[in-house]
């Protein structure tokens, strides 16, 4: 009890809570004000479960994983916010879930950025038949996340240890490993990208594909190459941020505010309306 009370003034216990969702599996609970896991920067989730200070869904939204959500940076420092867009980024989402949410919000959008996700290993989880078991896990983790002690030990201390174990995968641009599962994940990513471009065409949305890189990465990994290939096949607008200065990262994949600023500038110069 003492540790729980002692940690709360330092922001532990104020992390974003996620509700289970039948189609999207996990989604930020609406109407939250808290702090980011890294850096304890202010984070605002509106009534539409977007990182956005205003209610509802604006006409321009960025979709992606924790990088897009803005891991470790304040509300106004994400690349989406710098472009006047809301962020629909969600921690640990693979590309297929990002596209699912893009499709759901598409009727309200004029413009969107679909950013690369580093969570390609999660594609196999999304395709699993045991979704109910996964949803139970989401609900359990969400309950635990209300505890400052859990946040400090699991989300902070242990997460750092995990990052060191997976560093080589992250530098190569993905957390997915080989064999049949890797091939299936690649297929799901390719299909999701084509679906996103079809949705954008159907609704007249100006969609930009954003390929993000990890710290120290000098060339596209296999999943990032899929994005480059699909963009070329479909003549889609694409911004490639692989090769960004390692000094602009707070860890292996998440940019510091200056990194988000450079991403926003590249997007602004890409022919977006």
């Amino acid at each position: 009890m003492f540790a729980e009370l002692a940690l709360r003034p330092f922001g532990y216990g104020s992390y974003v809570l996620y509700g289970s969702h039948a189609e999207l599996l996990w989604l930020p609970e609406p109407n939250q004000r808290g702090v980011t896991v890294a850096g304890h920067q202010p984070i605002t989730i509106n009534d539409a479960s977007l990182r956005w200070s205003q209610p509802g869904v604006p006409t321009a939204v960025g979709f992606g994983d924790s990088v897009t959500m803005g891991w470790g940076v304040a509300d106004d420092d994400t690349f989406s916010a710098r472009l006047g867009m809301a962020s629909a980024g969600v921690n640990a989402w693979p590309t297929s879930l990002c596209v699912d949410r893009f499709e759901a919000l598409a009727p309200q959008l004029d413009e969107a950025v679909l950013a690369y996700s580093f969570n390609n290993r999660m594609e196999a989880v999304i395709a699993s038949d045991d979704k109910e078991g996964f949803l139970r896990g989401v609900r359990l983790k969400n309950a635990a996340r209300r505890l400052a002690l859990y946040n400090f030990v699991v989300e902070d201390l242990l997460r750092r240890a995990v990052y060191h174990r997976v560093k080589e995968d992250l530098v190569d641009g993905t957390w997915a490993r080989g064999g049949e599962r890797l091939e299936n994940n690649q297929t799901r990513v390719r299909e999701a990208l084509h679906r996103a471009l079809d949705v954008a065409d159907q609704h007249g949305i100006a969609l930009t594909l954003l390929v993000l890189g990890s710290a120290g990465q000098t060339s596209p990994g296999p999943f990032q190459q899929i994005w480059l290939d699909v963009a070329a096949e479909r003549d889609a607008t694409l911004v490639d941020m692989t090769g960004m200065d390692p000094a602009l990262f707070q860890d292996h994949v998440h940019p510091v505010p200056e990194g988000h600023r450079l991403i926003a500038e590249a997007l602004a110069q890409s022919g977006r309306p």
Side-chain angles (χ1 to χ4, degrees):
M1 177 64 73
F2 173 78
E4 181 71 20
L5 295 176
L7 288 168
R8 285 191 173 274
F10 296 96
Y12 298 101
S14 299
Y15 293 169
V16 171
L17 299 176
Y18 293 85
S20 60
H21 190 283
E23 287 79 33
L24 300 174
L25 298 185
W26 66 99
L27 190 68
E29 292 184 356
N31 297 315
Q32 298 185 63
R33 288 183 181 274
V35 297
T36 60
V37 174
H40 289 191
Q41 297 296 309
I43 183 168
T44 304
I45 306 296
N46 77 354
D47 59 344
S49 295
L50 301 171
R51 190 171 187 183
W52 186 244
S53 59
Q54 304 300 315
V57 180
T59 59
V61 176
F63 298 83
D65 63 3
S66 57
V67 177
T68 301
M69 189 177 190
W71 182 272
V73 301
D75 285 330
D76 294 338
D77 286 331
T78 70
F79 69 78
S80 296
R82 291 174 181 273
L83 294 168
M85 308 173 75
S87 172
V90 177
N91 291 351
W93 265 11
T95 295
S96 61
L97 284 188
C98 301
V99 174
D100 285 346
R101 194 162 195 216
F102 168 59
E103 187 169 13
L105 297 182
Q108 304 171 69
L109 301 178
D110 295 327
E111 182 183 358
V113 172
L114 177 61
Y116 179 81
S117 168
F118 291 92
N119 299 288
N120 296 298
R121 65 175 181 170
M122 295 299 293
E123 293 289 358
V125 175
I126 305 309
S128 170
D129 293 331
D130 187 25
K131 282 193 171 61
E132 184 51 43
F134 190 84
L135 291 172
R136 285 195 297 270
V138 171
R139 291 190 285 268
L140 179 62
K141 181 176 179 179
N142 200 43
R145 240 184 178 210
R146 298 176 187 274
L147 301 175
L149 189 58
Y150 169 87
N151 290 337
F152 176 68
V153 174
V154 177
E155 301 279 352
D156 191 338
L157 298 182
L158 293 183
R159 183 180 178 281
R160 296 177 192 175
V162 169
Y163 248 40
H164 286 293
R165 291 209 313 271
V166 301
K167 179 178 179 181
E168 293 306 316
D169 279 343
L170 291 170
V171 168
D172 195 32
T174 178
W175 283 22
R177 288 191 169 94
E180 182 180 353
R181 175 171 293 186
L182 174 61
E183 185 176 340
N184 290 341
N185 287 348
Q186 290 174 325
T187 298
R188 285 180 60 82
V189 169
R190 186 176 294 105
E191 290 175 347
L193 290 176
H194 280 291
R195 177 160 54 94
L197 292 166
D198 289 342
V199 169
D201 289 343
Q202 177 186 349
H203 292 276
I205 301 168
L207 176 64
T208 301
L209 301 182
L210 171 63
V211 177
L212 299 165
S214 48
Q217 186 178 5
T218 57
S219 61
F223 280 89
Q224 291 152 325
Q225 188 61 51
I226 292 172
W227 285 62
L228 299 176
D229 293 343
V230 170
E233 292 169 20
R234 298 291 296 268
D235 194 26
T237 301
L238 179 137
V239 171
D240 184 1
M241 296 302 295
T242 56
M244 199 163 69
D245 187 343
L248 297 175
F249 291 83
Q250 54 187 294
D251 52 33
H252 302 314
V253 295
H254 298 108
V256 298
E258 177 66 10
H260 278 271
R261 184 186 67 78
L262 290 180
I263 293 169
E265 286 184 355
L267 287 166
Q269 296 168 7
S270 68
R272 294 168 54 252

